[in-house]
Amino acid sequence: MLIWLIPASPNVAAQREPCHSPTQGESTAQQAIVRDQSRFPAEIVASICECLDSSLDKLSVALCSKSTYSNVAPSLYRKARLFSTFAQTKFAYALALQQGPGGLAQHVESLELALQDSEHDSKHRNAEVLLMIIARCPASRTLGLVRRDQWSICTQADIDALSKVVAAPPNLRDLTLRFVCGAPDIEHFEHGYIGQPYTFEAEDTSLEAYFTPPSDEYHLVFPQQLTDQLGRLRSFSYTARWDFGRQIIMHCLGVSLRSLYLSMPMSGSAHLEQLANNSPNLASFVLDTTESARVSDVEVCEFLERCGGTLKKFSLSHLT
């Protein structure tokens, strides 16, 4: 959607060639709608657009005239979902062309972006485009990132790109991360994804107790700007194919966290005690894991005792 292509004519809807020959009654009704658009209060037009589920429907209304576009824009661009390189690049150019107080960036409150899975140089260029988009949307406080390629091996370049993008929003409060990646070798696929093909550490040495012994090639380091940003979140949703850096991530979450959703296989302690210490004000916690996770009833009771005063939702898929 390039909003700078929107025609200036207020009667653009009437000027379009219809896809069929309308009856005289239909033509008269269409002309009446276009002629009377300016008579609708802006609040009514905006309210109607808020009820439309499809972005295409909202865009159709926006294309009617300049006045309707200005009323529809907040609803149309409030949640930007950009999953292809083409969509991301197009949106970045649109932001660049409409800078200033009246630009579309002022309406963007939520960004959902895809991290591209390709060679190192392409990953770097993709990260630069995402950083450009985020920098021009300072009002955005919600960020969703997805890495979709289940066969592509995760490298340090992926972690570095992820870190830059997550750390970029100055007012980030809510983060959703769906991080899917492949295994370094076929043996991990044969064991039902339970084995852990990667090892982890962080630049923040205060987390050193949760590092795993490095492997030769698949050892990943979490930059400090990433772990610091995680500690400032209000809401965090994390879905992964492996037990991907969970020990480090769980230990860097902070007191401002109110909602946590984790979905991944685990082969050890869920670290509920540490979570309760770091984030005692949780209102919602969902842990969707596997039978290999060691979550005892004693650990759950201690967690509820610590966070029970604020906790309104607690869901656990397996209890050992």
Side-chain angles (χ1 to χ4, degrees):
M1 292 182 295
L2 292 180
I3 65 169
W4 36 275
L5 293 179
I6 293 176
S9 171
N11 296 319
V12 64
Q15 294 170 0
R16 291 177 177 169
E17 181 179 351
C19 58
H20 67 284
S21 299
T23 64
Q24 182 176 359
E26 290 175 333
S27 178
T28 302
Q30 290 172 355
Q31 293 173 6
I33 291 173
V34 173
R35 181 178 61 253
D36 294 338
Q37 280 171 356
S38 60
R39 300 180 185 178
F40 287 107
E43 295 80 4
I44 292 181
V45 176
S47 179
I48 292 173
C49 290
E50 290 287 354
C51 297
L52 297 175
D53 295 328
S54 170
S55 296
L56 292 177
D57 291 339
K58 294 178 181 180
L59 183 60
S60 297
V61 177
L63 288 170
C64 291
S65 68
K66 281 185 175 181
S67 60
T68 55
Y69 165 72
S70 63
N71 295 326
V72 175
S75 174
L76 186 60
Y77 298 108
R78 182 172 293 118
K79 297 181 179 180
R81 304 176 74 244
L82 310 167
F83 294 132
S84 69
T85 301
F86 177 71
Q88 292 168 359
T89 305
K90 186 169 64 171
F91 193 74
Y93 274 111
L95 291 173
L97 289 170
Q98 290 218 358
Q99 299 184 50
L104 71 87
Q106 65 175 324
H107 306 303
V108 180
E109 298 177 0
S110 172
L111 289 166
E112 194 168 354
L113 310 169
L115 296 165
Q116 302 304 321
D117 308 300
S118 52
E119 291 79 12
H120 176 80
D121 290 342
S122 297
K123 290 175 184 176
H124 176 74
R125 288 194 295 270
N126 171 246
E128 292 301 317
V129 172
L130 300 188
L131 291 174
M132 183 188 304
I133 293 173
I134 292 171
R136 296 189 184 279
C137 299
S140 177
R141 296 189 174 188
T142 301
L143 177 64
L145 295 173
V146 56
R147 186 183 190 273
R148 291 178 165 179
D149 189 354
Q150 61 176 334
W151 306 111
S152 176
I153 295 172
C154 182
T155 66
Q156 188 62 46
D158 290 296
I159 300 300
D160 292 342
L162 171 68
S163 177
K164 290 178 182 178
V165 174
V166 170
N171 301 308
L172 182 64
R173 302 182 69 184
D174 309 311
L175 175 64
T176 297
L177 181 59
R178 297 192 295 275
F179 207 77
V180 180
C181 58
D185 54 68
I186 192 64
E187 292 182 3
H188 290 96
F189 287 98
E190 294 175 347
H191 289 83
Y193 309 110
I194 298 301
Q196 173 54 268
Y198 299 95
T199 56
F200 303 92
E201 67 175 275
E203 287 183 352
D204 185 353
T205 56
S206 67
L207 302 169
E208 186 174 0
Y210 314 106
F211 296 174
T212 48
S215 61
D216 293 336
E217 188 174 356
Y218 302 105
H219 186 66
L220 304 174
V221 179
F222 289 169
Q224 183 147 359
Q225 61 179 355
L226 172 61
T227 55
D228 286 350
Q229 184 74 300
L230 292 177
R232 293 188 286 265
L233 293 176
R234 178 189 65 179
S235 172
F236 183 42
S237 175
Y238 184 30
T239 301
R241 187 179 190 176
W242 313 95
D243 192 347
F244 200 87
R246 176 183 54 88
Q247 291 192 41
I248 293 177
I249 289 174
M250 290 279 283
H251 288 80
C252 65
L253 298 175
V255 295
S256 59
L257 192 69
R258 298 295 183 272
S259 176
L260 177 62
Y261 174 85
L262 295 176
S263 178
M264 65 184 67
M266 296 181 185
S267 56
S269 172
H271 299 285
L272 296 186
E273 180 181 359
Q274 186 65 41
L275 176 62
N277 290 333
N278 289 357
S279 307
N281 301 312
L282 275 174
S284 174
F285 177 42
V286 177
L287 179 59
D288 182 14
T289 184
T290 55
E291 294 181 358
S292 59
R294 295 197 302 270
V295 185
S296 67
D297 53 355
V298 174
E299 190 176 12
V300 170
C301 289
E302 292 176 350
F303 173 79
L304 293 176
E305 183 178 355
R306 181 66 185 273
C307 298
T310 59
L311 201 62
K312 298 179 180 178
K313 179 180 179 180
F314 178 69
S315 177
L316 182 65
S317 60
H318 292 87
L319 185 66
T320 55

